[in-house]
Amino acid sequence: MEDYGIHVFIGYADDDFRFVRFDLRRYLEEDLNLNTYIHQRDLRAGYLDQQLLDAIQDSWRLVLVLSANFLRRYEKAHLVMKMCTSAVTPVNPDRVLVLVEQGQGRHVPDYVLAVLDEEKLVRLHSLNEELGYEQKQRIKHLILT
């Protein structure tokens, strides 16, 4: 983890910012003391796609929040998922983990599932609900191991 400038990159849809900024970010940054990359907070002026690629390449773990908003309406969804899945290497094979909103599993592209073990999927009932204890423990385990 020390070889990376960013501990956790979070890929999510703009419409899901409340869950990311107020629940997931708070848990990762405040409880686990990790630094995160959140595009609505951390993007600078300039070429968006290159900044996303740079952030992904410089991140230890890549968390994809696969909600209905992300999978069906977010214009950068496939770009972010492709960049994250192509960043998996033999040196860091457990780089990607997925938080998937209930009912969205069938919409997850095969190329995302191809880089994951089933254990790297954390199921969420709804992004309107806070992360539960078991979900937090799974996320912690998957990020820190």
Side-chain angles (χ1 to χ4, degrees), residues 33-98:
N33 295 314
L34 300 171
N35 66 56
T36 62
Y37 184 90
I38 298 171
H39 70 262
Q40 287 177 314
R41 177 190 68 187
D42 299 324
L43 275 177
R44 303 172 312 275
Y47 191 56
L48 169 69
D49 294 355
Q50 185 61 50
Q51 288 184 59
L52 289 174
L53 179 59
D54 291 345
I56 288 167
Q57 290 177 336
D58 198 27
S59 296
W60 165 249
R61 292 289 185 251
L62 308 168
V63 175
L64 294 171
V65 180
L66 302 185
S67 66
N69 288 326
F70 186 86
L71 292 167
R72 297 187 197 162
R73 292 183 282 283
Y74 184 53
E75 65 182 38
K76 298 283 185 189
H78 285 287
L79 176 69
V80 170
M81 289 187 289
K82 284 284 191 181
M83 287 191 291
C84 286
T85 56
S86 65
V88 174
T89 64
V91 175
N92 193 351
D94 299 323
R95 200 166 190 182
V96 176
L97 69 114
V98 170

Side-chain angles (χ1 to χ4, degrees), residues 19 23 35 40 46 69 108 113 126:
F19 170 77
D23 197 13
N35 66 56
Q40 287 177 314
N69 288 326
V108 178
L113 297 174
S126 167

